[in-house]
Amino acid sequence: IRNNDAAAFKYIDFTDETDSIKVNVFPGSKPVTMDIALDASWGRSIGKINIPGNGDGKTSQTLTCKIKRVKGVHAIWLRFWGDYDNLVKIDWFSFF
């Protein structure tokens, strides 16, 4: 994943209990911001995760963040910002 990249996942069905995201990442040496947006890459942001720049790209970390409550079926966009290429590797994510 590089600076200003985005990844879309369609047809995520949120219940009215969904208020958090958990993501397993392999961070690099510099910090990265991952924004979670609804329905379009320029859509409404429901949360952000600041991924610390304390990794070697080979060791995973699991991070959790609160998001705005979302209800219904939506596309989710994960958008990434950082100061270099090869920002982070995403292993998995889960809403709960």
Side-chain angles (χ1 to χ4, degrees):
I1 296 173
R2 296 181 177 186
N3 185 45
N4 210 27
D5 277 354
F9 301 88
K10 291 187 174 185
Y11 313 119
I12 307 290
D13 190 5
F14 291 94
T15 67
D16 52 0
E17 299 297 318
T18 304
D19 70 350
S20 299
I21 183 172
K22 186 182 286 190
V23 61
N24 187 260
V25 297
F26 292 85
S29 61
K30 295 185 180 178
V32 176
T33 299
M34 183 178 88
D35 183 56
I36 303 106
L38 287 183
D39 299 322
S41 66
W42 59 88
R44 177 174 57 110
S45 177
I46 60 170
K48 288 186 181 182
I49 296 178
N50 294 314
I51 301 169
N54 61 355
D56 59 8
K58 298 176 185 176
T59 306
S60 71
Q61 293 181 15
T62 301
L63 305 169
T64 302
C65 155
K66 289 288 192 183
I67 61 170
K68 295 177 185 173
R69 288 189 185 262
V70 178
K71 197 174 187 180
V73 178
H74 296 275
I76 292 296
W77 285 80
L78 304 180
R79 305 179 293 195
F80 300 88
W81 290 279
D83 290 334
Y84 62 106
D85 287 341
N86 299 320
L87 299 175
V88 64
K89 295 176 188 170
I90 305 293
D91 187 23
W92 54 262
F93 66 91
S94 174
F95 292 97
F96 60 99

